[in-house]
Amino acid sequence: MLDQAVPLKSCDHGEGFFCVPEVEKTTESSLRDRLALDRTVLANERTLLAYVRTAMMLAATGATAISFYSDRWFPLVSGWFLIALGLVIATVGAIRFRNLARSLK
């Protein structure tokens, strides 16, 4: 199948299946820097989603403890504690996301 492939385009230095134009070092390094910045932005978004996922899990666990064990004091207190902890974690994640996003711009 590869032997029947058509070249993508003709090059100055001959025909080939993959012709990559000659690129200056400054252009290549700036492209590498831009792609590294894009990867960092995406990693920051994934980290925010992990914070949100953790916060939602804690709040849902707390709400479940409150709804199923509302007649006992320990599950009631621990449920409210988990909900508050989930809000704190979501806030910390949002602040860290915003700070890193601002520093990347």
Side-chain angles (χ1 to χ4, degrees):
M1 181 185 246
L2 287 177
D3 57 344
Q4 298 173 0
V6 178
L8 295 175
K9 65 177 186 173
S10 61
C11 297
D12 297 342
H13 54 276
E15 297 287 327
F17 291 107
F18 300 105
C19 180
V20 178
E22 296 295 325
V23 180
E24 297 178 33
K25 288 287 185 185
T26 57
T27 306
E28 184 178 320
S29 65
S30 66
L31 175 64
R32 187 178 309 135
D33 291 343
R34 195 183 88 231
L35 291 175
L37 183 63
D38 289 342
R39 284 191 300 271
T40 305
V41 168
L42 291 173
N44 191 27
E45 291 174 358
R46 282 192 308 270
T47 304
L48 174 66
L49 291 174
Y51 272 106
V52 170
R53 180 184 62 225
T54 303
M56 288 176 59
M57 183 271 311
L58 287 170
T61 303
T64 302
I66 290 171
S67 68
F68 283 132
Y69 303 108
S70 60
D71 56 341
R72 298 180 186 159
W73 71 272
F74 183 73
L76 189 65
V77 171
S78 62
W80 283 110
F81 175 75
L82 288 173
I83 291 173
L85 184 62
L87 290 174
V88 168
I89 288 177
T91 304
V92 168
I95 290 170
R96 290 186 66 179
F97 172 79
R98 186 189 64 205
N99 290 342
L100 185 60
R102 283 184 182 172
S103 69
L104 291 176
K105 288 186 180 182

